[in-house]
Amino acid sequence: MSGKHYYIAFRSILHREIVRFTRIWVQTLVPPAITMTLYFVIFGNLIGSRIGEMGGYSYMAFIVPGLIMMSVITNSYSNVASSFFSSKFQRNVEELLVAPVPTYVIIAGYVGGGVVRGLLVGLIVSMVSLFFVDLQISHLFSVIFTVFLTSVLFSLAGLLNAIFARTFDDISIIPTFILTPLTYLGGVFYSIDLLPEVWQTISHGNPVLYMVNAFRYGFLGISDVPLTVAYGIIIGFIGLFYGLAWYLIHTGRGLRT
């Protein structure tokens, strides 16, 4: 097959993924907006007025980048995890395995769908935040680069979860017991400078911390971690997750019955 045929295969998978979540937009796009609105009201207006400034900015302005990133992470992950596992469960994925389509095209199609949903939800949450705070962007490139890489990373993570999952319950284990704690402890609601030294050291082992801070730097120009380290960690995890996903799909591990 030629590159043109590979592009058609990629476009077909991507189109199917986009149609899948936009068809049920009330379930996929509206809930994140409502959830983040509650965060803005409760943490931003009610609690934030008592906390005051953080990092030289109002508490609301400080947490907005983290909340946007949290919605991107959650939706990128869940979109690919649920979609790919559904294909496994319905045995549709077997059609891809026997088709003359390279493994990287399959990965790109599913990950592309997760990225589109993650970025779309991030845009919606950003628009909602405008009702609560004057959202400013200090470094546009950092905003775009960070949110795109993070969305790719967690789309790959969702793909790995779906490959290893045996039941629908397995899809919820990672988000509940790993992803949610890492996100909440990743500096979304606070600066790690407020933590005792030992907890600051522990926090630096949380990869989500680097994504949130790199994204916050794009908006506010402040970060608790060096940007080069943050981007290095994100890109490193992308390479690791992609390599593992490619190997598992290429060999059929967890896919063939």
Side-chain angles (χ1 to χ4, degrees):
M1 293 180 67
S2 64
K4 180 180 179 180
H5 293 95
Y6 294 158
Y7 171 73
I8 293 175
F10 163 74
R11 188 179 62 185
S12 299
I13 299 174
L14 178 61
H15 179 264
R16 184 191 64 186
E17 289 299 294
I18 295 175
V19 169
R20 189 187 70 87
F21 76 78
T22 53
R23 183 186 298 141
I24 52 174
W25 61 272
V26 175
Q27 302 176 37
T28 56
L29 301 181
V30 174
I34 296 176
T35 301
M36 291 303 135
T37 299
L38 294 175
Y39 277 120
F40 291 140
V41 172
I42 296 173
F43 287 93
N45 285 345
L46 301 181
I47 299 179
S49 60
R50 297 177 179 271
I51 294 178
E53 291 188 351
M54 184 169 293
Y57 294 88
S58 68
Y59 187 67
M60 174 68 86
F62 182 85
I63 67 172
V64 163
L67 291 176
I68 296 173
M69 181 58 70
M70 186 165 66
S71 66
V72 171
I73 289 173
T74 303
N75 284 274
S76 298
Y77 186 97
S78 62
N79 189 79
V80 182
S82 61
S83 177
F84 194 83
F85 182 77
S86 295
S87 295
K88 275 181 55 179
F89 183 77
Q90 298 168 3
R91 306 190 71 169
N92 297 332
V93 72
E94 295 179 2
E95 299 175 6
L96 288 175
L97 294 179
V98 299
V101 178
T103 302
Y104 70 85
V105 172
I106 298 174
I107 296 175
Y110 277 98
V111 170
V115 170
V116 171
R117 178 175 167 182
L119 296 182
L120 185 56
V121 169
L123 179 61
I124 293 173
V125 173
S126 299
M127 294 175 64
V128 170
S129 71
L130 295 176
F131 290 98
F132 300 92
V133 65
D134 182 18
L135 196 62
Q136 299 180 351
I137 299 179
S138 299
H139 305 280
L140 180 60
F141 175 78
S142 293
V143 171
I144 296 175
F145 191 56
T146 303
V147 73
F148 176 76
L149 289 181
T150 302
S151 186
V152 170
L153 171 58
F154 282 94
S155 293
L156 286 168
L159 180 60
L160 289 174
N161 188 184
I163 292 174
F164 284 109
R166 290 290 178 267
T167 66
F168 281 101
D169 291 336
D170 294 338
I171 295 297
S172 62
I173 291 177
I174 300 298
T176 301
F177 295 102
I178 297 180
L179 189 58
T180 298
L182 287 179
T183 302
Y184 278 94
L185 297 175
V188 173
F189 299 102
Y190 58 87
S191 170
I192 63 171
D193 290 338
L194 301 176
L195 301 176
E197 186 174 347
V198 62
W199 285 107
Q200 289 188 35
T201 302
I202 295 175
S203 294
H204 279 91
N206 182 357
V208 176
L209 174 73
Y210 299 90
M211 304 167 199
V212 170
N213 274 275
F215 195 57
R216 180 175 289 130
Y217 173 82
F219 283 97
L220 306 180
I222 59 174
S223 174
D224 293 332
V225 298
L227 289 184
T228 53
V229 175
Y231 290 136
I233 289 176
I234 297 173
I235 294 173
F237 270 106
I238 289 175
L240 175 63
F241 287 176
Y242 173 81
L244 182 57
W246 185 92
Y247 172 76
L248 292 172
I249 295 177
H250 185 71
T251 58
R253 297 289 183 89
L255 302 180
R256 293 190 173 94
T257 57

